[in-house]
Amino acid sequence: MDRDFFTTMKTKTLKIAILSLHSSPIGAIGSQNTGGMSVYVRELARELGRCGHRIDIFTRQNAHTNGQVVNLDENVRLIHLSNGHAGPVPKLALYHSVKDYFRALESFQAQDGLCYDLIHSHYWLSGLLGQIAQNRWHVPHIVMFHTLGALKNMVAAGEPEPELRIVSEKRLAKGCHCIVASTAKEREKLMRFYDAAAERIKVVPCGVNLNLFRPLDRLAARRRLGFEADESIVLYVGRFDPLKGLDRLIEALAYLRNHTRLRLVIVGGDGEQSPAYQHLWQLVLKLGLKDRVMFAGRIEHADLPPYYNAANVLVIPSRYESFGMVGLESLACGTPVVTTPVGAIERILREGQTGYVVSDYTPAALAKGIESFLSDAAAATPAPEIVRASVFEFDWSHVASAIMDQYATVLKQQYQEA
Ligand code: UDP
């Protein structure tokens, strides 16, 4: 019976509503509120669509929206929901519009004549939307939080997360059918801080696009980007958020002054007018590092491979990270990673070979980690293809297959309870 159910599920075409309210999969990735989650949603949807499932991703309409329905990939549509305001709004303001967004979602669904088999929501705000849909449609609801408010507040970098978020996450953790956590550590925190039931949390790591991120000739990549063949390049890729610890990475450079041909290349952010950029630039000036730091701006995801390939090392200096997909992307390109002990990447690295996990969060510790991939020790770094092989298991097709197993599990439970 069990095996029959799973076999049927594997061949059935599912209609899946993916909710990603605040962050669009085709948004400006690398900007303040659009990062790994958008990449995750896009890649997962693409894989599920390729397997024949019908995927509708729902996100909020914004000023750049071009049409209500956008065909993204095979069997994958992106649907923009309107609450009557397309302009920029603080993320938290969406909380007060969740019911309006649900009305827009139901009206699209009625017009389209589609009934979804399950809902997969991303981040707590989409979770709240999913919860309304779950109660109205009586279908399973799978939640992925991506970050947890309670943990962000423990790190205490940047604006504290409101109690509203913590209470909502707790409610969602209790009321949904399944939570997907990207690491065992997140699973443990969900149990500890939100009383989530162990049996309803499944750990499925995030993925990497191995077709896009692959080793290239380093010198050719440097030429393409205008970097010198003989300089040492330390790379950062990501949003500019106090949690990301970019300030400490800049401070770490001050410990590496003896490396005269060293440059820190920073990818991501919201441009030179943004307060986050201004804050970092002031720090660069104060430390006298103007000639050693390059802000490359936000780079399209598809254009990132030469950056990873040009670098000697990618650094993740974060205070908190739920997973850290940039680490997988770097390793897939054959470039080692130095990281603080955060997210999944610290467990994926082979110490001293594919990377280095620093002992603490200080700039001095980061500098020590970086140095081990610049000097003679770098000679011991395995060939790019070997570094890349360490992340083969994270191909998005494997992630989608593990997520499909969870869909089958919750659908089976629903079938048995009916
Ligand atoms: N990214 C990008 N362009 C940029 C900066 C970042 O495409 O200019 C992508 C990066 O390749 C990665 C994602 O944003 O896929 C960041 O994911 P990660 O898990 O590292 O961090 P998060 O944003 O989830 O905190």
Side-chain angles (χ1 to χ4, degrees):
M1 163 68 191
D2 278 5
R3 194 178 302 135
D4 284 353
F5 189 91
F6 275 91
T7 313
T8 317
M9 280 303 310
K10 292 266 184 197
T11 53
K12 191 174 177 288
T13 296
L14 294 179
K15 295 181 281 305
I16 303 164
I18 293 187
L19 310 182
S20 180
L21 197 55
H22 82 279
S23 166
S24 168
I26 54 169
I29 295 170
S31 63
Q32 196 180 10
N33 287 321
T34 308
M37 189 180 109
S38 291
V39 175
Y40 186 100
V41 165
R42 174 93 198 236
E43 295 280 1
L44 174 66
R46 181 186 289 142
E47 288 296 333
L48 294 173
R50 270 184 198 152
C51 296
H53 302 295
R54 289 192 62 180
I55 314 297
D56 282 345
I57 307 170
F58 292 91
T59 193
R60 72 177 282 267
Q61 188 177 7
N62 61 45
H64 311 289
T65 303
N66 199 359
Q68 192 200 12
V69 180
V70 180
N71 289 316
L72 278 191
D73 290 297
E74 185 184 352
N75 297 321
V76 180
R77 300 187 299 179
L78 174 67
I79 293 122
H80 294 101
L81 300 176
S82 168
N83 73 338
H85 308 281
V89 287
K91 211 163 45 173
L92 197 57
L94 296 179
Y95 173 83
H96 303 287
S97 304
V98 166
K99 285 188 182 144
D100 296 334
Y101 283 116
F102 182 69
R103 273 191 283 278
L105 170 52
E106 256 196 333
S107 129
F108 174 83
Q109 193 213 9
Q111 206 182 306
D112 208 57
L114 258 191
C115 286
Y116 296 103
D117 295 304
L118 54 85
I119 307 156
H120 189 169
S121 58
H122 296 267
Y123 196 66
W124 68 284
L125 290 165
S126 302
L128 296 178
L129 178 64
Q131 200 165 45
I132 304 177
Q134 160 190 349
N135 294 334
R136 199 71 76 87
W137 301 342
H138 305 290
V139 296
H141 180 202
I142 291 164
V143 176
M144 192 161 174
F145 287 107
H146 292 270
T147 56
L148 298 175
L151 293 193
K152 282 180 103 169
N153 282 350
M154 277 173 63
V155 174
E159 289 286 307
E161 293 297 320
E163 190 56 22
L164 188 67
R165 173 172 178 180
I166 315 294
V167 171
S168 301
E169 287 182 336
K170 220 179 226 177
R171 209 175 72 211
L172 275 168
K174 290 216 156 108
C176 69
H177 295 84
C178 170
I179 305 172
V180 173
S182 63
T183 60
K185 203 158 56 178
E186 185 186 348
R187 180 173 187 269
E188 185 261 312
K189 304 286 185 211
L190 278 159
M191 285 157 52
R192 175 131 59 104
F193 294 109
Y194 294 161
D195 292 330
E199 66 278 9
R200 276 194 291 123
I201 315 171
K202 173 73 185 167
V203 178
V204 180
C206 297
V208 60
N209 185 332
L210 291 169
N211 290 326
L212 175 64
F213 295 104
R214 48 175 63 245
L216 306 169
D217 178 66
R218 180 181 281 176
L219 292 184
R222 287 187 174 200
R223 264 198 309 277
R224 187 164 150 192
L225 298 173
F227 301 148
E228 304 291 334
D230 63 342
E231 61 183 334
S232 294
I233 293 183
V234 176
L235 179 68
Y236 169 88
V237 178
R239 296 176 296 112
F240 286 14
D241 183 303
L243 286 170
K244 295 283 183 183
L246 245 178
D247 48 353
R248 277 182 299 188
L249 176 53
I250 291 169
E251 281 165 3
L253 279 204
Y255 290 83
L256 296 166
R257 288 189 202 272
N258 55 330
H259 292 269
T260 50
R261 302 279 293 147
L262 184 144
R263 180 149 50 155
L264 169 62
V265 176
I266 298 176
V267 170
D270 298 79
E272 294 185 5
Q273 302 309 318
S274 68
Y277 172 89
Q278 289 296 331
H279 169 75
L280 294 171
W281 184 238
Q282 288 311 316
L283 181 63
V284 168
L285 293 182
K286 189 176 115 192
L287 296 173
L289 296 169
K290 196 154 82 65
D291 300 328
R292 295 185 150 234
V293 180
M294 175 196 165
F295 287 89
R298 214 173 54 69
I299 301 292
E300 286 300 323
H301 196 61
D303 296 331
L304 283 174
Y307 284 87
Y308 288 118
N309 274 283
N312 295 71
V313 61
L314 174 90
V315 183
I316 302 178
S318 301
R319 292 165 168 93
Y320 168 55
E321 201 65 63
S322 60
F323 189 88
M325 292 195 327
V326 291
L328 291 186
E329 292 164 6
S330 183
L331 295 174
C333 291
T335 301
V337 176
V338 166
T339 181
T340 49
V342 290
I345 204 73
E346 61 161 325
R347 296 202 164 255
I348 295 166
L349 293 181
R350 288 189 211 123
E351 192 80 6
Q353 292 186 32
T354 63
Y356 189 92
V357 183
V358 302
S359 54
D360 60 51
Y361 293 82
T362 59
L366 276 174
K368 187 166 165 249
I370 293 168
E371 194 153 38
S372 63
F373 288 96
L374 300 180
S375 46
D376 294 347
T381 308
E385 286 299 341
I386 293 172
V387 176
R388 172 179 168 81
S390 68
V391 294
F392 279 162
E393 66 189 280
F394 298 96
D395 188 73
W396 282 111
S397 61
H398 300 171
V399 176
S401 169
I403 294 286
M404 265 310 295
D405 287 347
Q406 285 323 293
Y407 291 168
T409 303
V410 291
L411 286 166
K412 181 178 149 205
Q413 275 158 5
Q414 189 198 39
Y415 172 81
Q416 286 173 334
E417 285 162 15

